[in-house]
PDB file of all heavy atoms in Angstrom:
ATOM      1  N   ILE H  67     110.317  96.471  95.235  1.00 97.00           N
ATOM      2  CA  ILE H  67     110.012  95.136  95.828  1.00 97.00           C
ATOM      3  C   ILE H  67     108.882  94.556  94.945  1.00 97.00           C
ATOM      4  O   ILE H  67     107.829  95.146  94.813  1.00 97.00           O
ATOM      5  CB  ILE H  67     109.614  95.121  97.297  1.00 97.00           C
ATOM      6  CG1 ILE H  67     110.719  95.826  98.157  1.00 97.00           C
ATOM      7  CG2 ILE H  67     109.245  93.782  97.862  1.00 97.00           C
ATOM      8  CD1 ILE H  67     110.476  97.296  98.427  1.00 97.00           C
ATOM      9  N   ALA H  68     109.294  93.397  94.429  1.00 97.00           N
ATOM     10  CA  ALA H  68     108.141  92.627  93.632  1.00 97.00           C
ATOM     11  C   ALA H  68     108.116  91.164  94.300  1.00 97.00           C
ATOM     12  O   ALA H  68     109.164  90.704  94.846  1.00 97.00           O
ATOM     13  CB  ALA H  68     108.573  92.565  92.158  1.00 97.00           C
ATOM     14  N   PHE H  69     106.968  90.620  94.287  1.00 97.00           N
ATOM     15  CA  PHE H  69     106.830  89.334  95.004  1.00 97.00           C
ATOM     16  C   PHE H  69     105.847  88.501  94.284  1.00 97.00           C
ATOM     17  O   PHE H  69     105.142  88.987  93.377  1.00 97.00           O
ATOM     18  CB  PHE H  69     106.375  89.604  96.442  1.00 97.00           C
ATOM     19  CG  PHE H  69     104.979  90.224  96.510  1.00 97.00           C
ATOM     20  CD1 PHE H  69     103.772  89.545  96.663  1.00 97.00           C
ATOM     21  CD2 PHE H  69     104.841  91.596  96.591  1.00 97.00           C
ATOM     22  CE1 PHE H  69     102.636  90.099  96.799  1.00 97.00           C
ATOM     23  CE2 PHE H  69     103.675  92.273  96.688  1.00 97.00           C
ATOM     24  CZ  PHE H  69     102.493  91.507  96.773  1.00 97.00           C
ATOM     25  N   ASP H  70     105.762  87.208  94.596  1.00 97.00           N
ATOM     26  CA  ASP H  70     104.859  86.354  94.169  1.00 97.00           C
ATOM     27  C   ASP H  70     103.625  86.148  95.166  1.00 97.00           C
ATOM     28  O   ASP H  70     103.858  85.857  96.395  1.00 97.00           O
ATOM     29  CB  ASP H  70     105.454  84.832  93.940  1.00 97.00           C
ATOM     30  CG  ASP H  70     106.516  84.832  92.945  1.00 97.00           C
ATOM     31  OD1 ASP H  70     106.527  85.763  92.076  1.00 97.00           O
ATOM     32  OD2 ASP H  70     107.183  83.766  92.836  1.00 97.00           O
ATOM     33  N   ASN H  71     102.468  86.513  94.729  1.00 97.00           N
ATOM     34  CA  ASN H  71     101.324  86.399  95.553  1.00 97.00           C
ATOM     35  C   ASN H  71     101.097  84.910  96.018  1.00 97.00           C
ATOM     36  O   ASN H  71     101.686  83.994  95.386  1.00 97.00           O
ATOM     37  CB  ASN H  71     100.000  86.719  94.827  1.00 97.00           C
ATOM     38  CG  ASN H  71      99.802  88.195  94.639  1.00 97.00           C
ATOM     39  OD1 ASN H  71      99.873  88.909  95.688  1.00 97.00           O
ATOM     40  ND2 ASN H  71      99.625  88.663  93.447  1.00 97.00           N
ATOM     41  N   ARG H  72     100.391  84.756  97.138  1.00 96.00           N
ATOM     42  CA  ARG H  72     100.093  83.403  97.548  1.00 96.00           C
ATOM     43  C   ARG H  72      99.515  82.578  96.447  1.00 96.00           C
ATOM     44  O   ARG H  72      98.637  83.056  95.676  1.00 96.00           O
ATOM     45  CB  ARG H  72      99.275  83.313  98.784  1.00 96.00           C
ATOM     46  CG  ARG H  72      97.888  83.837  98.688  1.00 96.00           C
ATOM     47  CD  ARG H  72      97.041  83.649  99.941  1.00 96.00           C
ATOM     48  NE  ARG H  72      97.575  84.248 101.097  1.00 96.00           N
ATOM     49  CZ  ARG H  72      97.674  83.555 102.242  1.00 96.00           C
ATOM     50  NH1 ARG H  72      97.183  82.381 102.449  1.00 96.00           N
ATOM     51  NH2 ARG H  72      98.217  84.114 103.320  1.00 96.00           N
ATOM     52  N   GLY H  73      99.876  81.241  96.244  1.00 95.00           N
ATOM     53  CA  GLY H  73      99.379  80.348  95.198  1.00 95.00           C
ATOM     54  C   GLY H  73     100.010  80.657  93.891  1.00 95.00           C
ATOM     55  O   GLY H  73      99.582  80.009  92.918  1.00 95.00           O
ATOM     56  N   VAL H  74     101.026  81.468  93.711  1.00 95.00           N
ATOM     57  CA  VAL H  74     101.681  81.834  92.451  1.00 95.00           C
ATOM     58  C   VAL H  74     103.220  81.643  92.571  1.00 95.00           C
ATOM     59  O   VAL H  74     103.795  82.135  93.664  1.00 95.00           O
ATOM     60  CB  VAL H  74     101.331  83.235  91.929  1.00 95.00           C
ATOM     61  CG1 VAL H  74     102.005  83.557  90.751  1.00 95.00           C
ATOM     62  CG2 VAL H  74      99.836  83.458  91.795  1.00 95.00           C
ATOM     63  N   GLY H  75     103.899  81.228  91.544  1.00 95.00           N
ATOM     64  CA  GLY H  75     105.285  81.179  91.497  1.00 95.00           C
ATOM     65  C   GLY H  75     105.914  80.411  92.662  1.00 95.00           C
ATOM     66  O   GLY H  75     105.662  79.304  92.998  1.00 95.00           O
ATOM     67  N   GLN H  76     106.841  81.103  93.407  1.00 96.00           N
ATOM     68  CA  GLN H  76     107.711  80.576  94.370  1.00 96.00           C
ATOM     69  C   GLN H  76     107.096  80.780  95.838  1.00 96.00           C
ATOM     70  O   GLN H  76     107.762  80.423  96.792  1.00 96.00           O
ATOM     71  CB  GLN H  76     109.132  81.036  94.303  1.00 96.00           C
ATOM     72  CG  GLN H  76     109.746  80.610  93.005  1.00 96.00           C
ATOM     73  CD  GLN H  76     111.081  81.279  92.904  1.00 96.00           C
ATOM     74  OE1 GLN H  76     111.987  80.999  93.650  1.00 96.00           O
ATOM     75  NE2 GLN H  76     111.342  82.023  91.805  1.00 96.00           N
ATOM     76  N   THR H  77     105.973  81.334  95.950  1.00 97.00           N
ATOM     77  CA  THR H  77     105.304  81.582  97.183  1.00 97.00           C
ATOM     78  C   THR H  77     104.478  80.376  97.590  1.00 97.00           C
ATOM     79  O   THR H  77     103.857  79.751  96.587  1.00 97.00           O
ATOM     80  CB  THR H  77     104.424  82.880  97.290  1.00 97.00           C
ATOM     81  OG1 THR H  77     105.427  83.899  97.195  1.00 97.00           O
ATOM     82  CG2 THR H  77     103.689  83.021  98.540  1.00 97.00           C
ATOM     83  N   ASP H  78     104.287  80.002  98.782  1.00 96.00           N
ATOM     84  CA  ASP H  78     103.466  78.889  99.189  1.00 96.00           C
ATOM     85  C   ASP H  78     101.951  79.020  98.630  1.00 96.00           C
ATOM     86  O   ASP H  78     101.549  80.104  98.396  1.00 96.00           O
ATOM     87  CB  ASP H  78     103.271  78.706 100.617  1.00 96.00           C
ATOM     88  CG  ASP H  78     104.648  78.382 101.356  1.00 96.00           C
ATOM     89  OD1 ASP H  78     105.562  77.888 100.578  1.00 96.00           O
ATOM     90  OD2 ASP H  78     104.727  78.430 102.584  1.00 96.00           O
ATOM     91  N   ALA H  79     101.375  77.933  98.448  1.00 96.00           N
ATOM     92  CA  ALA H  79      99.928  77.810  97.867  1.00 96.00           C
ATOM     93  C   ALA H  79      99.077  76.991  98.836  1.00 96.00           C
ATOM     94  O   ALA H  79      98.760  75.730  98.530  1.00 96.00           O
ATOM     95  CB  ALA H  79     100.014  77.192  96.512  1.00 96.00           C
ATOM     96  N   PRO H  80      98.611  77.613 100.014  1.00 96.00           N
ATOM     97  CA  PRO H  80      97.672  76.840 100.928  1.00 96.00           C
ATOM     98  C   PRO H  80      96.359  76.415 100.011  1.00 96.00           C
ATOM     99  O   PRO H  80      95.998  77.093  99.137  1.00 96.00           O
ATOM    100  CB  PRO H  80      97.295  77.914 101.915  1.00 96.00           C
ATOM    101  CG  PRO H  80      98.412  78.894 101.797  1.00 96.00           C
ATOM    102  CD  PRO H  80      98.878  79.054 100.481  1.00 96.00           C
ATOM    103  N   ASP H  81      95.872  75.247 100.518  1.00 95.00           N
ATOM    104  CA  ASP H  81      94.732  74.780  99.795  1.00 95.00           C
ATOM    105  C   ASP H  81      93.368  75.164 100.373  1.00 95.00           C
ATOM    106  O   ASP H  81      92.715  74.419 101.109  1.00 95.00           O
ATOM    107  CB  ASP H  81      94.781  73.239  99.873  1.00 95.00           C
ATOM    108  CG  ASP H  81      93.797  72.486  98.974  1.00 95.00           C
ATOM    109  OD1 ASP H  81      93.310  73.165  98.029  1.00 95.00           O
ATOM    110  OD2 ASP H  81      93.460  71.342  99.292  1.00 95.00           O
ATOM    111  N   TYR H  82      93.153  76.494 100.188  1.00 95.00           N
ATOM    112  CA  TYR H  82      91.860  77.082 100.607  1.00 95.00           C
ATOM    113  C   TYR H  82      91.638  78.340  99.673  1.00 95.00           C
ATOM    114  O   TYR H  82      92.575  78.721  98.995  1.00 95.00           O
ATOM    115  CB  TYR H  82      91.770  77.445 102.003  1.00 95.00           C
ATOM    116  CG  TYR H  82      92.918  78.184 102.743  1.00 95.00           C
ATOM    117  CD1 TYR H  82      93.010  79.557 102.497  1.00 95.00           C
ATOM    118  CD2 TYR H  82      93.876  77.618 103.385  1.00 95.00           C
ATOM    119  CE1 TYR H  82      94.004  80.252 103.029  1.00 95.00           C
ATOM    120  CE2 TYR H  82      94.977  78.227 103.974  1.00 95.00           C
ATOM    121  CZ  TYR H  82      95.036  79.645 103.651  1.00 95.00           C
ATOM    122  OH  TYR H  82      96.154  80.325 104.203  1.00 95.00           O
ATOM    123  N   ALA H  83      90.433  79.007  99.699  1.00 95.00           N
ATOM    124  CA  ALA H  83      90.094  79.978  98.742  1.00 95.00           C
ATOM    125  C   ALA H  83      90.958  81.255  99.395  1.00 95.00           C
ATOM    126  O   ALA H  83      91.133  81.471 100.575  1.00 95.00           O
ATOM    127  CB  ALA H  83      88.723  80.362  98.849  1.00 95.00           C
TER     128      ALA H  83
END
Side-chain angles (χ1 to χ4, degrees):
I67 299 97
F69 62 94
D70 293 346
N71 281 307
R72 63 174 56 228
V74 177
Q76 299 174 56
T77 293
D78 291 347
D81 189 21
Y82 50 78

